[in-house]
């Protein structure tokens, strides 16, 4: 099978020029070729061009591989072909940087020596893993790939999924045998949207393969693009489990501080001050309470719990942590209602402005934002709510949350402000100026405690935070 050239070979053959040329495929795909260094021998196909797959495709192209980016979403591919970064984490220039093409034509998969599958793995309404995207991708890849291809799954799955779900689908579609005619590895994604310090090349990559030879081949492939290096897991199942454990651990720790904040509130003790005091001990782990949204932390524990329960063991701590964190939106809504009551507001006549609707600061993704659950509860009390998020367009806000969205930030006549997602753009709010624009006796619900409590109370707010 085709192998990658080493960095030493690349440096020895690297010409001094830095010239690029543009060519167009028969299907209209624009490809940018670079003469900066000779092309590597392998062709990579990345299946799924979301926040995981697109940085991978770009990373390989920038390392001088020939890359095919495949996705079933015609709109996504059209934007990429037009030079538009669809993730917001790269740049319009970078997605055309190197020998890379974007396509919805599955036939181009057979050009690849390596196929990396990076498709979504959500949970269903019963909190069970939905691996249908993996199965569909495997069926497509299997029907197009040539013998000798190596397939690497990056999607988050429960231990055993690569062997029990991916491999059978590949074999059924291809008529080939894994380990003989094609080869399989697993490397869990560690993408962190909105975090410039922890991009693809900056984070150690866990890799695995169905045997030692495949493991070394997959490790060599990722070592060529990941500056931080790779960790060779002893089995595919270890690599699969490592991914869900990473985020399950975070879910457990956040659940503890969320429950702690609720308990200390009943005791009339400042939870944030408690965490600061406890944090002076050298081995105290610094976690803060908050809404747990996104595509990883509130999802991955279900993968591990599901697989464990299938083997007859119910992981109660994981499941309880999920229940605690899922209860936080209701608690935030309760804090808001209590603050409005303390301000002598009539709930059905109250107006609340929600600042930040994305699931985390610095991103515009609202698909798994827990702010939606907070808003839903408040609307049950006929509270009028508007929203503003500098990273999210108004059409998306109105469709996702069922509220009006502000074109520009205005505070006039609102009874309360909720800082739900503390984007950096909100850190410098002049609270005295904000309070002067609001209705008399306003409330400020600072969900994560991003603002100064004393400054808020001095400005005249009834202040609440987790």
């Amino acid at each position: 099978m085709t192998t990658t050239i080493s960095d030493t070979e690349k440096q020895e053959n690297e010409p001094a020029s830095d010239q690029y040329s543009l060519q167009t495929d028969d299907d209209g795909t624009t490809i940018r070729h670079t003469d900066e260094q000779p092309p590597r021998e392998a062709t990579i196909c990345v299946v799924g061009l979301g926040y995981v797959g697109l940085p991978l495709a770009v990373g390989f192209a920038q390392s001088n591989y020939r890359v095919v980016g495949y996705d079933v979403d015609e709109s996504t591919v059209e934007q990429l072909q037009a030079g538009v970064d669809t993730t917001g984490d790269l740049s319009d220039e970078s997605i055309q940087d190197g020998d890379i093409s974007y396509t919805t034509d599955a036939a181009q998969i057979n050009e690849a020596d390596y196929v990396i599958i990076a498709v979504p793995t959500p949970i269903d309404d019963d909190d069970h893993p939905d691996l249908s995207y993996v199965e569909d991708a495997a069926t497509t890849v299997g029907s197009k790939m040539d013998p000798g291809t190596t397939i690497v799954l990056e999607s988050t799955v429960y231990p055993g999924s690569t062997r029990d779900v991916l491999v059978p689908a590949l074999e059924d579609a291809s008529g080939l045998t894994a380990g003989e005619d094609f080869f399989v590895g697993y490397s869990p994604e560690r993408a962190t949207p909105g975090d410039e310090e922890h991009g693809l090349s900056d984070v150690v990559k866990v890799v695995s393969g169905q045997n030692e030879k495949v493991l070394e081949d997959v490790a060599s492939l990722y070592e060529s693009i990941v500056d931080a290096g790779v960790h060779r897991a002893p089995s595919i199942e270890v690599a699969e489990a490592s991914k869900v454990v990473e985020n399950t651990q975070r879910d457990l720790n956040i659940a503890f501080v969320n429950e702690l904040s609720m308990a200390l509130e009943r005791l009339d003790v400042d939870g944030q001050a408690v965490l600061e005091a406890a944090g002076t001990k050298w081995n105290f782990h610094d976690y803060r309470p908050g809404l747990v949204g996104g595509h990883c932390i509130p999802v991955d524990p279900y993968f591990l719990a599901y697989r464990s329960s299938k083997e007859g063991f119910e992981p109660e701590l994981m499941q309880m942590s999920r229940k605690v964190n899922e209860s936080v939106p209701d608690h935030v809504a309760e804090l808001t209602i209590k603050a409005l009551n303390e301000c002598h507001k009539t709930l059905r006549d109250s107006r609340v402005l929600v600042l930040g609707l994305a699931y985390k600061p610095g991103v515009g993704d609202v698909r798994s934002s827990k702010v939606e659950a907070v808003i839903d509860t408040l609307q049950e009390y006929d509270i009028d709510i508007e929203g503003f998020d500098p990273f999210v367009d108004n059409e998306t806000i109105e469709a996702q949350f069922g509220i009006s969205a502000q074109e520009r930030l205005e505070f006039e006549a609102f009874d309360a402000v909720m800082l739900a997602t503390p984007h950096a753009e909100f850190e410098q709010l002049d609270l005295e100026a904000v309070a002067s624009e609001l209705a008399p006796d306003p409330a400020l619900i600072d969900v994560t405690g991003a603002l100064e409590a004393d400054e808020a109370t001095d400005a005249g707010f009834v202040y609440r935070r987790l």
Side-chain angles (χ1 to χ4, degrees):
M1 83 185 287
T2 305
T3 56
T4 62
I5 66 171
S6 68
D7 288 340
T8 301
E9 289 172 316
K10 181 183 80 171
Q11 292 169 3
E12 289 175 351
N13 293 298
E14 186 174 10
S17 63
D18 184 17
Q19 301 299 316
Y20 292 88
S21 62
L22 294 178
Q23 294 183 6
T24 303
D25 272 0
D26 293 338
D27 66 354
T29 299
T30 300
I31 306 173
R32 192 169 188 240
H33 294 275
T34 175
D35 297 323
E36 183 179 0
Q37 49 188 296
R40 297 180 188 265
E41 297 174 5
T43 296
I44 316 293
C45 177
V46 177
V47 176
L49 300 174
Y51 75 95
V52 175
L54 185 59
L56 270 173
V58 170
F60 279 113
Q62 290 177 336
S63 295
N64 221 31
Y65 288 93
R66 165 79 177 100
V67 177
V68 175
Y70 170 78
D71 202 292
V72 297
D73 190 314
E74 292 184 0
S75 174
T76 295
V77 171
E78 287 174 0
Q79 291 182 72
L80 292 170
Q81 289 175 344
V84 177
D85 169 24
T86 53
T87 66
D89 279 333
L90 302 170
S91 68
D92 291 348
E93 294 76 18
S94 68
I95 63 169
Q96 299 293 341
D97 190 2
D99 189 353
I100 186 169
S101 62
Y102 302 101
T103 184
T104 57
D105 181 10
Q108 293 191 32
I109 293 172
N110 69 2
E111 301 173 14
D113 303 288
Y114 299 90
V115 178
I116 299 176
I117 297 176
V119 295
T121 47
I123 53 175
D124 62 21
D125 292 340
D126 295 319
D127 295 331
H128 294 160
D130 177 5
L131 300 187
S132 60
Y133 293 95
V134 172
E135 292 184 89
D136 291 345
T139 298
T140 300
V141 171
S143 69
K144 304 300 180 183
M145 69 182 184
D146 286 339
T149 304
T150 297
I151 297 89
V152 181
L153 180 62
E154 285 227 0
S155 305
T156 299
V157 294
Y158 54 78
S161 300
T162 301
R163 297 187 195 272
D164 298 340
V165 178
L166 179 75
V167 168
L170 289 168
E171 290 182 330
D172 289 346
S174 66
L176 303 175
T177 301
E180 297 178 10
D181 306 312
F182 67 92
F183 310 95
V184 175
Y186 180 79
S187 180
E189 58 89 1
R190 281 176 163 172
T192 308
D195 187 344
E196 296 181 359
E197 295 182 3
H198 297 94
L200 174 64
S201 66
D202 307 313
V203 179
V204 173
K205 201 82 167 73
V206 175
V207 299
S208 63
Q210 65 188 130
N211 57 46
E212 194 66 28
K213 185 176 180 181
V214 176
L215 171 61
E216 289 304 316
D217 186 50
V218 172
S220 176
L221 178 70
Y222 280 103
E223 282 173 336
S224 68
I225 66 166
V226 179
D227 294 338
V230 304
H231 173 83
R232 291 163 172 78
S235 71
I236 287 176
E237 288 74 18
V238 167
E240 291 169 326
S242 73
K243 167 61 181 178
V244 290
V245 166
E246 291 171 13
N247 287 315
T248 299
Q249 181 192 62
R250 294 174 66 192
D251 196 46
L252 288 166
N253 282 289
I254 297 169
F256 168 69
V257 293
N258 273 332
E259 189 171 60
L260 178 69
S261 72
M262 298 179 199
L264 292 175
E265 180 192 337
R266 301 303 194 278
L267 301 176
D268 197 25
V269 175
D270 187 337
Q272 297 277 9
V274 169
L275 291 175
E276 289 174 9
T280 60
K281 191 167 188 280
W282 77 91
N283 60 353
F284 186 82
H285 293 183
D286 186 19
Y287 285 87
R288 299 289 163 158
L291 298 168
V292 184
H295 308 286
C296 293
I297 298 177
V299 174
D300 293 0
Y302 291 118
F303 281 77
L304 197 54
Y306 171 82
R307 187 69 182 89
S308 176
S309 64
K310 287 290 185 182
E311 298 301 320
F313 179 76
E314 293 292 338
E316 296 180 2
L317 185 58
M318 296 180 205
Q319 295 169 336
M320 183 55 67
S321 295
R322 280 280 71 236
K323 290 179 181 179
V324 169
N325 285 336
E326 287 296 304
S327 74
V328 174
D330 282 341
H331 182 62
V332 171
E334 181 184 355
L335 287 178
T336 305
I337 290 168
K338 287 181 176 180
L340 288 169
N341 281 332
E342 188 171 340
C343 296
H344 307 291
K345 308 289 184 179
T346 303
L347 294 182
R348 66 175 177 270
D349 296 328
S350 296
R351 300 181 67 227
V352 176
L353 176 62
V354 178
L355 303 182
L357 297 139
Y359 81 89
K360 64 181 285 189
V363 304
D365 193 345
V366 299
R367 291 172 295 172
S368 54
S369 171
K370 294 301 179 181
V371 181
E372 182 176 7
V374 178
I375 290 172
D376 288 345
T377 300
L378 293 177
Q379 287 180 325
E380 292 178 5
Y381 293 86
D382 294 327
I383 296 172
D384 183 24
I385 300 172
E386 289 188 15
F388 175 81
D389 193 308
F391 291 88
V392 187
D393 65 83
N394 287 354
E395 183 178 342
T396 298
I397 291 174
E398 292 171 357
Q400 180 76 21
F401 299 93
I403 61 174
S404 299
Q406 292 190 351
E407 287 288 345
R408 61 187 184 88
L409 192 54
E410 296 181 357
F411 297 97
E412 186 175 357
F414 284 95
D415 298 287
V417 174
M418 177 189 297
L419 179 53
T421 305
H423 295 303
E425 286 76 2
F426 299 136
E427 290 179 358
Q428 303 304 319
L429 284 175
D430 184 335
L431 295 184
E432 286 193 6
V434 171
S436 68
E437 295 183 40
L438 297 168
D441 303 316
L444 174 60
I445 299 86
D446 179 14
V447 175
T448 64
L451 304 174
E452 291 293 333
D454 290 343
E455 182 180 343
T457 53
D458 289 345
F461 285 102
V462 169
Y463 179 80
R464 293 289 181 273
R465 66 185 179 194
L466 288 177

